[in-house]
């Protein structure tokens, strides 16, 4: 389509300021998209192990799967019914594209939003396979059975930021330790676990007296609890490598309890047989579930948790805002590649505050849609060195800034304005070579990013900014949000 783009009351050529409402979606995707729920993202407020008791196992399995289902539904029900997921039948056959807002709207429903049909299938397979694996892991390891305290979703599904396909799930499995995780107020250095924040974004964990005495202290229970003792090195630091090796061993032994076919574990879900294979990278142990063209990757990451009163406040770390406070924060066994020696890498644990960070995204209206657009831009432009967490961190800083400088920023601006604003922030980050960690700005999360790659990303973003600054060229934005294959199909709508 051609012609002068509609201009909003600010004269920015976006096609109308929706005040955080449905207007911008209406222009691009039609009434069908509204039915699909593209409104405000945030309203203002070998052989199978034989169990000892089949009835007990059935009850435990139902209880676990029910809990898992409730948890996932609580995380995703808003996104799958009112925000980010639509039915394929609701994608308009012939969109009306007249300005940047309507272009972004149509690309969103066509290429970014989750499709309800995909979600239900992936969800059912995930729930069945992971539920069974978790139960088998408890059967093969007594420590895991006793101390795997809770399983929780992480990543883009947890934050309701997943795009395109629900073909990846991230799970944090919290492992308890048989000691007191609280600080010894009388003598902090004698706490059962001493937290040493040696590098921004990372900590080292040193076992205190009670932890060191597990083998002497725990009597018969030491047969189980000795697992935690075996994670220590000769200076009583909890080694993330030993912790991870133990977890992956439990997971592999649990997977060996599945029936096999052609040498691969298999699981039948709704009459379809799925094969399971694994990969491993960083702190995650990944199961890859496949059947024909179907594929689902599930990253399992073990974690330790500490009560929030042990947060590292006052050591260059940000105070956790009152509205973001939760019961605990976590650490995951990710190495610190910027450490000064091998000990720093072996002993390092990365800080994880995903529960607190999720609260930051509350009451931010169209912010989540803007993050999804930025993630699609990243993917389409092959900027694969920019982790989703880096993009999210750029938004954390803007959320914090706008609280005082422009409290209605996320509500009053349309998506086109927000998208242009954050593309500029992305460029500034690449130009400076710095995306500071939100909780401790002394940690530059892209300090190890090759300068040639940073310059390449800058060039791509700069070209997009030039287009965004001229409202008459808004249709060219599609080239940056879509892959070449997608654009070849989509250009007939333009």
């Amino acid at each position: 389509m051609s012609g002068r783009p509609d201009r909003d009351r600010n004269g920015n050529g976006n096609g109308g300021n929706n005040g955080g409402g449905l207007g911008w979606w209406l222009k691009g995707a039609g009434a069908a998209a509204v039915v699909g729920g593209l409104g405000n993202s945030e309203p203002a407020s070998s052989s199978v192990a034989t169990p000892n008791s089949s009835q007990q196992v059935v009850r435990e399995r139902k209880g676990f799967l029910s809990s898992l289902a409730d948890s996932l539904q609580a995380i995703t029900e808003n996104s799958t019914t009112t925000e980010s997921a639509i039915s394929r039948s609701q994608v308009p056959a012939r969109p009306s594209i007249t300005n940047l807002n309507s272009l972004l709207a149509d690309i969103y429903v066509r290429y970014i939003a989750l499709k309800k049909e995909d979600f239900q299938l992936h969800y059912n397979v995930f729930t069945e396979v992971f539920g069974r694996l978790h139960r088998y892991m408890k059967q093969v390891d007594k420590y895991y059975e006793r101390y795997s305290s809770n399983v929780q979703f992480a990543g883009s599904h947890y934050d309701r930021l997943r795009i395109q396909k629900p073909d990846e799930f991230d799970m944090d499995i919290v492992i308890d330790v048989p000691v007191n995780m609280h600080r010894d107020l009388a003598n902090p250095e004698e706490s059962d676990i001493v937290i040493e924040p040696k590098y921004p974004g990372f900590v080292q964990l040193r076992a205190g007296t009670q932890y060191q005495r597990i083998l002497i202290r725990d009597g018969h229970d030491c047969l189980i609890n000795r697992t935690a003792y075996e994670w220590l090195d000769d200076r009583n630091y909890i080694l993330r490598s030993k912790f991870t090796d133990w977890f992956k061993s439990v997971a592999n032994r649990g997977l060996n309890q599945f029936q096999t076919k052609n040498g691969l574990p298999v699981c039948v879900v709704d009459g379809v047989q799925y094969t399971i294979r694994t990969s491993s990278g960083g702190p995650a142990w990944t199961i890859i579930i496949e059947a024909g063209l179907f594929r689902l990757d599930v990253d399992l990451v073990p974690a330790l948790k500490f009560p929030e009163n042990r947060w590292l406040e006052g050591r260059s770390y940000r105070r956790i805002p009152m509205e973001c406070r939760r019961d605990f924060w976590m650490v995951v066994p990710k190495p610190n590649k910027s450490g000064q020696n091998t000990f720093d890498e072996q002993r390092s644990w990365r800080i994880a505050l995903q529960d607190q960070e999720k609260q930051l995204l509350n009451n931010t209206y169209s912010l989540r849609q803007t993050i999804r657009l930025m993630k699609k831009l990243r993917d389409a432009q092959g900027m694969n060195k920019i982790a989703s967490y880096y993009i999210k961190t750029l938004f954390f800083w803007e959320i914090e800034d706008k609280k005082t400088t422009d409290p209605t920023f996320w509500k009053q601006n349309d998506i086109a304005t927000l998208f242009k604003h954050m593309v500029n922030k992305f460029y500034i980050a690449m130009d400076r070579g710095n995306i500071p960690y939100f909780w401790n700005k002394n940690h530059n999360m892209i300090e190890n990013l090759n300068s040639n790659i940073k310059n390449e990303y800058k060039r791509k973003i700069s070209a997009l900014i030039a287009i965004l600054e001229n409202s008459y060229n808004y249709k060219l934005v599609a080239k940056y949000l879509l892959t070449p294959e997608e654009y070849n199909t989509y250009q007939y709508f333009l």
Side-chain angles (χ1 to χ4, degrees), residues 77-219:
E77 66 179 356
N78 287 335
S79 63
T80 57
T81 60
T82 64
E83 182 187 329
S84 64
I86 65 169
S87 172
R88 284 188 174 85
S89 64
Q90 294 171 328
V91 178
R94 188 67 186 177
S96 173
I97 299 173
T98 59
N99 50 58
L100 181 57
N101 264 317
S102 57
L103 176 74
L104 296 177
D106 190 66
I107 288 175
Y108 184 90
V109 299
R110 205 171 293 274
Y111 295 105
I112 298 177
L114 299 180
K115 302 304 183 285
K116 292 180 180 178
E117 299 88 344
D118 292 337
F119 184 84
Q120 192 59 50
L121 173 60
H122 286 76
Y123 163 69
N124 288 343
V125 172
F126 162 77
T127 304
E128 178 62 32
V129 174
F130 177 72
R132 187 175 300 184
L133 174 62
H134 184 61
R135 176 162 58 88
Y136 288 158
M137 289 170 69
K138 289 190 171 187
Q139 291 179 5
V140 300
D141 192 274
K142 293 298 183 182
Y143 190 93
Y144 186 85
E145 179 184 32
R146 177 177 292 185
Y147 292 111
S148 57
S149 62
N150 61 299
V151 177
Q152 60 185 68
F153 290 93
S156 58
H157 280 296
Y158 180 71
D159 289 328
R160 308 206 319 268
L161 295 173
R162 186 72 188 161
I163 66 172
Q164 296 185 291
K165 291 190 70 175
D167 55 359
E168 293 182 8
F169 284 88
D170 300 290
M171 305 297 297
D172 285 340
I173 302 179
V174 177
I175 307 297
D176 287 339
V177 181
V179 295
N180 187 344
M181 304 299 278
H182 289 270
R183 179 189 291 113
D184 185 329
L185 297 178
N187 190 351
E189 290 301 309
E190 290 300 320
S191 300
D192 288 358
I193 295 182
V194 179
I195 304 173
E196 299 180 354
K198 191 170 183 180
Y199 295 94
F202 293 86
V203 298
Q204 297 182 9
L205 307 176
R206 180 166 52 83
T209 302
Q210 289 302 314
Y211 197 129
Q212 297 174 39
R213 289 173 53 84
I214 283 177
L215 297 184
I216 303 171
R217 183 197 72 185
D218 289 354

Side-chain angles (χ1 to χ4, degrees), residues 239-269:
L239 292 187
R240 57 151 194 90
S241 55
K242 289 187 177 182
F243 176 77
T244 303
D245 288 346
W246 164 78
F247 176 80
K248 292 177 180 179
S249 169
V250 176
N252 278 303
R253 284 183 283 136
L255 191 60
N256 287 339
Q257 303 306 305
F258 282 78
Q259 293 179 327
T260 61
K261 182 177 181 180
N262 298 327
L264 286 176
V266 296
C267 183
V268 176
V269 183

Side-chain angles (χ1 to χ4, degrees), residues 385-398:
K385 297 297 184 181
I386 302 299
S388 294
Y389 187 75
Y390 303 166
I391 294 174
K392 197 165 61 171
T393 297
L394 291 174
F395 281 80
F396 290 158
W397 285 106
E398 285 304 293

Side-chain angles (χ1 to χ4, degrees), residues 221-485:
D221 279 346
C222 79
L223 296 174
I224 296 175
N225 295 347
R226 70 177 298 119
T227 293
Y229 183 82
E230 291 169 353
W231 300 334
L232 302 182
D233 67 7
D234 57 0
R235 293 189 60 191
N236 295 315
Y237 283 91
I238 305 175
L239 292 187
R240 57 151 194 90
S241 55
K242 289 187 177 182
F243 176 77
T244 303
D245 288 346
W246 164 78
F247 176 80
K248 292 177 180 179
S249 169
V250 176
N252 278 303
R253 284 183 283 136
L255 191 60
N256 287 339
Q257 303 306 305
F258 282 78
Q259 293 179 327
T260 61
K261 182 177 181 180
N262 298 327
L264 286 176
V266 296
C267 183
V268 176
V269 183
D270 296 330
V272 177
Q273 187 175 78
Y274 295 85
T275 61
I276 308 169
R277 55 189 177 92
T278 67
S279 69
S280 183
W285 183 79
T286 304
I287 56 173
I288 303 165
I289 307 165
E290 296 170 302
L293 297 177
F294 176 94
R295 173 169 169 159
L296 172 62
D297 291 18
V298 182
D299 286 349
L300 306 180
V301 178
L304 302 177
K305 68 178 181 180
F306 292 92
E308 235 177 29
N309 61 16
R310 295 205 69 181
W311 175 237
L312 310 171
E313 188 178 309
R315 305 183 186 185
S316 299
Y317 283 89
R318 175 190 302 275
R319 180 192 298 268
I320 297 175
M322 286 301 300
E323 66 272 18
C324 297
R325 291 194 176 272
R326 313 300 284 171
D327 292 334
F328 59 87
W329 55 283
M330 299 189 297
V331 296
V332 296
K334 185 176 178 63
N336 176 17
K337 296 181 180 179
S338 299
Q340 296 180 350
N341 51 55
T342 57
F343 291 115
D344 288 338
E345 184 171 334
Q346 292 170 350
R347 294 169 179 165
S348 69
W349 297 71
R350 189 186 66 188
I351 295 167
L353 292 100
Q354 62 193 40
D355 286 348
Q356 291 78 5
E357 291 168 353
K358 186 178 182 182
Q359 309 311 307
L360 286 171
L361 302 178
N362 287 341
N363 302 317
T364 49
Y365 297 87
S366 297
L367 178 141
R368 277 189 168 90
Q369 285 100 325
T370 313
I371 293 179
R372 295 188 195 104
L373 287 166
M374 294 295 294
K375 290 174 68 173
K376 185 64 171 76
L377 170 67
R378 183 260 328 258
D379 293 348
Q381 293 302 308
M383 295 186 284
N384 55 9
K385 297 297 184 181
I386 302 299
S388 294
Y389 187 75
Y390 303 166
I391 294 174
K392 197 165 61 171
T393 297
L394 291 174
F395 281 80
F396 290 158
W397 285 106
E398 285 304 293
I399 291 169
E400 184 69 14
D401 176 67
K402 299 307 179 187
K403 280 182 182 179
T404 55
T405 63
D406 192 355
T408 62
F409 178 78
W410 303 105
K411 181 177 182 180
Q412 71 178 358
N413 288 304
D414 57 26
I415 294 294
T417 301
L418 298 177
F419 179 66
K420 289 189 285 189
H421 179 80
M422 293 310 301
V423 168
N424 276 282
K425 291 296 180 179
F426 189 15
Y427 177 84
I428 291 171
M430 291 299 101
D431 188 49
R432 294 175 177 172
N434 186 19
I435 299 179
Y437 180 49
F438 181 71
W439 300 100
N440 187 328
K441 63 183 180 181
N442 293 328
H443 174 38
N444 175 11
M445 297 191 298
I446 60 170
E447 65 179 337
N448 294 320
L449 186 61
N450 181 279
S451 60
N452 291 332
I453 294 176
K454 280 185 281 193
N455 289 331
E456 177 191 349
Y457 293 176
K458 274 177 57 181
R459 178 183 57 79
K460 291 180 177 180
I461 302 166
S462 179
L464 173 59
I465 289 174
I467 292 170
L468 290 170
E469 288 177 346
N470 186 341
S471 61
Y472 297 102
N473 292 332
Y474 72 89
K475 292 181 181 179
L476 295 177
V477 173
K479 284 188 174 182
Y480 290 83
L481 285 171
L482 303 176
T483 65
E485 294 78 11

